[in-house]
Amino acid sequence: MTGLTAKGRARRAAIVETAARLVLTDGPDALSHRAVASASGLPLAATTYYFDSLDDLRTAAVEQVVRAEVAEAEQAVAALPRRARSAAATARLVADVVLGPGRHGDEELHSLYERFLACGRHPALRPVLRSARARIDAALTETLDRCGHAGADVTTLVALVDGSVVSALVEGDGSARRRAEEAVTAALS
C-alpha cells in the first residue's frame, strides 16, 4: 500500500506484528480480521483498510515471522566457530538451523509445521516459505561446512528432520526434537 502517512505505516506495522504473533502461537489459519483487530486493540475496519484481503494479511505476517527466524539462523551460523564436531554435536546445530534454536517443545514445533501445511490451503504463502527454505538450506550448508561435515546432503538432512518431527508429533510424547537430532546423527555417522 503506497502513499501512507507515518501514522498509517505505524498502524499497518502494528497490525502485521500482531498477526505475526498469532501465526507464531496458533498458526496461519488462526488469523481472522476480527482476531487481529482484537489482539492489536485496533478497530476491525483498520485490518480491512490496510490489507486487501485476509490472504494479504496472512502473507505479510508469515513474511515477518520467517524473515526474523531466518535472520536469527544466519546470524548464529555466521558466529559459529569453524572446527570439527561430532555427528551428535552437528545434529544439534542442524536442528537449530532447521527448527530454530529456541524450539524444543512439541507445541512450538507443531506451530512451525502448521505454516508448511498451510501452503496447501493458502498458496500465497508458498513463495514466502520457498524463499525462506532456500536461505535456511544455505545456512545449513554453511553449518555443515563449519562443523567438518561438508558434502552432507542438505536435502536429505532436512527431510530427516521434517519426517522425524512430524512422526513424533503424531505420537505426542514430547520427543520430536530429540528424534530429529537422532536421525541426523545417524545420517552423519
Side-chain angles (χ1 to χ4, degrees):
M1 181 169 262
T2 59
L4 291 178
T5 64
K7 181 180 177 183
R9 285 189 300 277
R11 184 172 265 199
R12 186 181 192 286
I15 292 168
V16 171
E17 178 63 33
T18 300
R21 282 194 310 271
L22 290 172
V23 164
L24 277 170
T25 58
D26 302 325
D29 285 332
L31 290 186
S32 69
H33 286 291
R34 190 171 306 282
V36 174
S38 175
S40 67
L42 293 171
L44 178 59
T47 65
T48 58
Y49 176 78
Y50 293 104
F51 297 91
D52 291 335
S53 68
L54 186 56
D55 278 340
D56 290 342
L57 175 57
R58 183 180 294 110
T59 300
V62 170
E63 282 175 336
Q64 181 162 317
V65 168
V66 299
R67 188 179 320 114
E69 290 173 345
V70 170
E72 180 182 24
E74 290 170 339
Q75 290 169 356
V77 171
L80 187 63
R82 196 174 286 279
R83 70 170 196 269
R85 290 178 175 78
S86 69
T90 302
R92 284 190 294 279
L93 293 168
V94 166
D96 282 347
V97 172
V98 176
L99 302 174
R103 281 196 187 93
H104 294 280
D106 282 9
E107 188 173 307
E108 297 163 317
L109 294 169
H110 185 268
S111 178
L112 171 67
Y113 281 87
E114 279 293 322
R115 277 186 247 155
F116 302 137
L117 296 173
C119 287
R121 294 179 299 278
H122 311 289
L125 297 178
R126 287 183 184 141
V128 173
L129 295 174
R130 192 178 306 120
S131 174
R133 170 64 191 274
R135 289 176 60 193
I136 289 295
D137 285 357
L140 190 51
T141 299
E142 180 66 17
T143 299
L144 293 164
D145 184 52
R146 287 175 182 248
C147 292
H149 293 274
D153 185 2
V154 169
T155 302
T156 299
L157 295 180
V158 171
L160 284 170
V161 170
D162 290 345
S164 298
V165 169
V166 170
S167 179
L169 289 175
V170 169
E171 310 243 344
D173 62 2
S175 67
R177 185 172 180 111
R178 178 182 53 77
R179 287 173 57 183
E181 290 178 12
E182 288 171 353
V184 173
T185 299
L188 293 174
S189 296

